[in-house]
Amino acid sequence: MRLGFCRGEKSGRRELVVRLGLSETVSTSRLLWLKDNDRDVLLTFLGHDGRNPKKPRLRYDVDGYVSCRSYVRKRSLSAAELGSMCASIAQVAIWCTSEGVGYSSVLFDERYVFVDGSARLHFVFVPLDVTERKAGNSPLVLLKRLCDTKRLYFTSPDAQALCERLGDYVLAEDGVFSLNRFREFVRMETGVTPSADKRRKEAGREAGEPIRSCLERRQPHETSARHDASGQELCDMRRRALVSCVLHDKVLGVDYRLPERTVTVGRGSTCDVQLRGHPKISRVHLSVFPEGKGVVLCDLNSSNGTFLNGMPLSPGEEVRVSYGKPFFLAGDEFSVERREEQ
């Protein structure tokens, strides 16, 4: 993959041009989605050209933006700016997970990540025809550059302290990026919980369907009619009070109640949910995060693996699982279920 900059022939605006390598091809469905979609966390896609439809030149609008590398080199960073950058990284990682996009399709090289006037990051999404994730490409690539205190300058001791804590987090990750852990880090440091990205134009909500729907050709879910706000809020409060989330051990018939946050599961005493009677399960086996109509599972480099639909999860890979769907930890069957309080 080769990248360069040019000026648009008609607009005169600064553009980033992406040329694919010999072994890289474009996914037609993802390219169509990218044309119609307009996410704030992604750079605006201007179009493509070239004779070969499988290897077009992709053009992105970068006029008015500064590369992340130039931004951090030419100015002193404040704690708010560094926190905004971390929140943007969490946001694009959430987008990748929710849309079923591998990190290999997003550029995390600081030369091709761009910053606006509010210190928010904007990323290049290349619609590659790949399903696997490259081990060397993840948000950790950019985070390592943002916590390098030898090349950064700060406006206050608070900003430098935040940078050092970010460095401790990256070191503790040991090369495996976990979205849930990083989202929790951002929440603790900035007080803001990163969420799914929104479109730039709310009026154009129906302009493009999500990548996952575009690829799998699923029909969109029907939305329910609007209810009175106060009555709906009261119903939600009652529902939360009557329903709890539990990890069900189908081998021993035991339920472990799960709080509404990320929890670690394993044999070790340091885990939030300590499993007994399963000698093959690792001391720290996986993390579980309730979200929407299911949970997000993440294998934490366990010895005997986490299996879903007969396939092992890669260490650090986050997968959505609906409530009641079975999965296996070192061969033992579990599920996460919603139970009504008695």
Side-chain angles (χ1 to χ4, degrees):
M1 185 183 299
R2 293 181 297 169
L3 299 97
F5 298 93
C6 69
R7 288 283 177 182
E9 296 180 359
K10 297 182 179 180
S11 64
R13 297 175 65 86
R14 187 165 176 257
E15 299 178 0
L16 172 69
V17 180
V18 179
R19 296 177 175 86
L20 302 184
L22 295 176
S23 61
E24 297 171 323
T25 57
V26 163
S27 168
T28 304
S29 56
R30 290 185 176 185
L31 184 61
L32 293 174
W33 175 90
L34 185 59
K35 290 180 179 179
D36 295 333
N37 203 46
D38 196 17
R39 295 284 176 173
D40 194 32
V41 75
L42 302 178
L43 283 176
T44 300
F45 180 66
L46 298 176
H48 67 282
D49 51 36
R51 296 180 179 178
N52 188 346
K54 280 293 185 179
K55 292 185 180 296
R57 294 189 305 170
L58 309 175
R59 297 182 295 109
Y60 301 83
D61 184 11
V62 295
D63 197 66
Y65 293 103
V66 180
S67 72
C68 183
R69 182 172 68 171
S70 299
Y71 190 88
V72 300
R73 281 184 175 182
K74 295 181 179 180
R75 58 182 295 149
S76 298
L77 291 178
S78 66
E81 288 175 319
L82 187 57
S84 176
M85 291 180 179
C86 290
S88 299
I89 295 173
Q91 198 171 37
V92 75
I94 292 171
W95 176 80
C96 287
T97 301
S98 62
E99 301 291 356
V101 177
Y103 295 143
S104 57
S105 295
V106 178
L107 302 185
F108 291 103
D109 188 324
E110 63 176 346
R111 296 173 297 175
Y112 307 113
V113 175
F114 296 87
V115 190
D116 62 17
S118 302
R120 295 184 60 191
L121 302 181
H122 301 268
F123 296 84
V124 178
F125 169 60
V126 182
L128 295 176
D129 189 12
V130 293
T131 55
E132 71 279 0
R133 295 180 179 180
K134 297 180 181 179
N137 187 65
S138 79
L140 286 177
V141 173
L142 183 57
L143 290 173
K144 288 178 181 179
R145 305 299 291 174
L146 291 179
C147 65
D148 187 356
T149 56
K150 294 181 180 180
R151 58 190 288 270
L152 302 179
Y153 300 94
F154 304 97
T155 60
S156 66
D158 291 341
Q160 184 168 358
L162 175 58
C163 182
E164 292 173 352
R165 291 194 295 272
L166 178 62
D168 293 339
Y169 161 81
V170 171
L171 186 63
E173 288 295 270
D174 195 24
V176 179
F177 179 77
S178 169
L179 173 57
N180 290 331
R181 288 197 294 270
F182 184 61
R183 182 162 51 182
E184 186 68 15
F185 171 84
V186 173
R187 187 187 68 81
M188 294 293 293
E189 295 295 340
T190 66
V192 177
T193 302
S195 58
D197 184 40
K198 297 180 180 180
R199 298 181 188 274
R200 292 188 184 92
K201 300 177 182 178
E202 292 296 335
R205 184 166 184 172
E206 301 299 330
E209 75 181 305
I211 285 182
R212 179 172 295 170
S213 300
C214 182
L215 296 179
E216 299 178 3
R217 298 289 185 254
R218 294 180 179 175
Q219 296 296 325
H221 297 288
E222 295 183 358
T223 56
S224 58
R226 294 183 178 180
H227 299 283
D228 179 73
S230 59
Q232 183 66 36
E233 182 179 358
L234 180 60
C235 292
D236 291 341
M237 292 176 61
R238 289 175 177 173
R239 190 179 297 111
R240 286 194 294 268
L242 294 176
V243 179
S244 62
C245 182
V246 298
L247 175 65
H248 178 56
D249 182 346
K250 295 192 176 184
V251 177
L252 301 180
V254 179
D255 289 341
Y256 301 90
R257 185 168 182 174
L258 301 177
E260 294 294 326
R261 60 177 177 85
T262 302
V263 297
T264 53
V265 179
R267 290 188 296 108
S269 58
T270 59
C271 290
D272 300 307
V273 177
Q274 186 177 8
L275 302 177
R276 301 182 183 276
H278 299 277
K280 294 184 179 181
I281 290 179
S282 299
R283 289 183 175 87
V284 182
H285 197 102
L286 84 159
S287 66
V288 180
F289 176 72
E291 187 174 74
K293 297 182 179 180
V295 295
V296 177
L297 303 180
C298 178
D299 185 90
L300 301 179
N301 200 22
S302 61
S303 299
N304 294 315
T306 302
F307 294 80
L308 179 66
N309 297 327
M311 299 296 294
L313 304 185
S314 301
E317 179 185 6
E318 297 182 342
V319 177
R320 289 171 178 260
V321 179
S322 58
Y323 289 119
K325 187 176 181 63
F327 56 90
F328 294 84
L329 307 181
D332 295 336
E333 186 175 357
F334 292 82
S335 65
V336 178
E337 301 178 1
R338 300 289 276 180
R339 298 284 176 83
E340 293 186 0
E341 299 285 354
Q342 300 296 329

